[in-house]
Amino acid sequence: MANRWTNTLSQSDVTPEAAFLNRRQLIAGAAAGFGLAGVAGVSNAQEALTPNSWEDITQYNNFYEFGTGKTDPAEYAGALTTTPWTVEIDGMVKNPGKYDIDDIKAAMTIEERIYRFRCVEAWSMVVPWNGFELADLLEVAGVQEGAKYVAFETLYRPEEMPGQRFQSLDWPYVEGLRLDEAMNPLTLMATGIYGKDLPNQNGAPLRLVVPWKYGFKSIKSIVKITITDKEPPTSWNKANAREYGFYSNVNPNVSHPRWSQASERMIGGGLFAKRVPTLMFNGYEDEVASMYEGMDLSKQI
Ligand SMILES: Nc1nc2c(c(=O)[nH]1)N[C@H]1C(S)=C(S)[C@@H](COP(=O)(O)O)O[C@H]1N2
Ligand SMILES: [Mo]
């Protein structure tokens, strides 16, 4: 069923016809002797909304609390206790408090959103998330006048998060959004993938998903949300301000200091893994570009 957000499809929208057409293009590209270069020519916009497999999504992760390797989260995150789980909402809100995750989930409308997901390391996936709009949660919390930003914090529990015993990052992991970004209808609080609860390695029981920004903005296993009038510190910016800014909007025209962001490697597909052009705002330009009017996106990274 199509939902009200353009550029957002639920799984039933990815028709067999579209899948067939994509396969035909793959075969045509290969048969015409283009080889892998021909495959890379398949349009990102069309191909990208076929979700990655459960295995791709849950076995290739970044979650430094469990180690810096891509398979560390799948290997070690099982030990994390996610019940009970509370999320503290504080700062400039009318209804501050510690809320049980089950109460939050019961109160919110959980929907499916199939989004492109683009890591700053230049790999990407397509993930069928389940979750609710952050805007809905903020509405219940009651944002006070004068608020400008939303800050997020991940659980700090080194007994269960072995990566926190090392200073790979300054713990706990923190992130932030400008209030208008947080209120954008695309901004999701994810609770599941493929209709199942979020696996621990993907940020159980609650993680942010901001599809037009590099993946590190999508903070996992959130225990605290603070509404504030000051730009909050963010983990990767603290670690290396020259390489990672507060905004971190996906932008093929602005290279990371150590690599190009013009294209990305789509995870999965084995032999047919593709490198495709990266899209401005990760393909969500129509929905989000207006928030950045007047900003120099090559400077305010
Ligand atoms: N708390 C926390 N959140 C995090 C990270 C992390 O290390 N710790 N890694 C980020 C990065 S760099 C990426 S690319 C995504 C990866 O999400 P995934 O493993 O679900 O694909 O999570 C982001 N959220
Ligand atoms: Mo990332």
Side-chain angles (χ1 to χ4, degrees):
M1 191 177 36
N3 68 32
R4 61 205 156 115
W5 309 116
T6 50
N7 213 356
T8 304
L9 300 181
S10 67
Q11 223 182 314
S12 50
D13 287 325
V14 182
T15 60
E17 287 83 349
F20 176 68
L21 183 65
N22 288 336
R23 260 199 307 281
R24 278 179 33 138
Q25 287 181 337
L26 285 174
I27 291 160
F34 296 127
L36 289 176
V39 170
V42 175
S43 114
N44 189 6
Q46 183 188 29
E47 181 78 353
L49 291 173
T50 302
N52 277 85
S53 68
W54 174 261
E55 216 200 354
D56 289 343
I57 296 167
T58 62
Q59 306 295 313
Y60 186 93
N61 301 99
N62 274 333
F63 200 168
Y64 278 25
E65 284 83 342
F66 297 100
T68 56
K70 292 288 180 284
T71 56
D72 288 339
E75 192 170 345
Y76 300 113
L80 178 66
T81 315
T82 58
T83 322
W85 192 277
T86 55
V87 180
E88 181 170 11
I89 304 181
D90 71 358
M92 300 174 70
V93 284
K94 293 169 190 138
N95 305 301
K98 285 190 177 179
Y99 299 98
D100 191 279
I101 183 66
D102 293 332
D103 294 336
I104 294 176
K105 282 166 75 170
M108 297 288 129
T109 306
I110 308 287
E111 42 181 310
E112 184 185 61
R113 297 281 181 94
I114 300 182
Y115 283 159
R116 298 183 189 85
F117 186 91
R118 170 59 155 83
C119 175
V120 74
E121 298 163 333
W123 54 264
S124 67
M125 294 195 200
V126 175
V127 184
W129 303 105
N130 310 101
F132 56 87
E133 291 184 12
L134 176 57
D136 290 346
L137 182 65
L138 294 179
E139 197 172 308
V140 171
V143 176
Q144 290 178 3
E145 215 163 301
K148 293 196 178 80
Y149 295 91
V150 182
F152 306 86
E153 195 175 302
T154 294
L155 178 71
Y156 178 71
R157 192 183 287 160
E159 317 87 83
E160 290 186 353
M161 297 177 133
Q164 289 180 333
R165 297 171 209 158
F166 304 90
Q167 281 299 315
S168 48
L169 286 170
D170 186 18
W171 310 112
Y173 196 101
V174 289
E175 257 304 335
L177 294 173
R178 221 168 53 188
L179 188 59
D180 60 333
E181 299 176 322
M183 297 296 284
N184 188 286
L186 286 177
T187 303
L188 197 70
M189 297 299 283
T191 56
I193 294 171
Y194 273 117
K196 300 184 192 135
D197 283 347
L198 272 184
N200 288 355
Q201 59 265 39
N202 294 89
L206 184 70
R207 61 95 56 89
L208 180 68
V209 178
V210 195
W212 72 93
K213 293 178 179 283
Y214 292 119
F216 63 83
K217 298 292 292 182
S218 292
I219 182 174
K220 296 178 168 182
S221 302
I222 294 168
V223 292
K224 193 172 177 187
I225 300 174
T226 306
I227 320 304
T228 165
D229 57 1
K230 290 177 191 67
E231 185 182 290
T234 61
S235 282
W236 280 100
N237 180 257
K238 285 197 285 180
N240 190 336
R242 200 176 76 88
E243 298 189 358
Y244 309 104
F246 176 79
Y247 287 96
S248 297
N249 292 314
V250 174
N251 189 337
N253 309 314
V254 177
S255 295
H256 181 279
R258 290 183 278 133
W259 57 82
S260 165
Q261 294 291 25
S263 69
E264 64 203 51
R265 180 173 55 95
M266 293 176 76
I267 299 299
L271 180 63
F272 298 106
K274 289 181 285 293
R275 194 150 196 111
V276 296
T278 288
L279 303 173
M280 188 65 200
F281 293 112
N282 204 26
Y284 301 98
E285 189 166 14
D286 289 350
E287 290 87 346
V288 304
S290 63
M291 293 192 289
Y292 307 104
E293 260 165 36
M295 277 175 63
D296 182 346
L297 297 177
S298 67
K299 300 224 165 61
Q300 285 182 281
I301 60 164

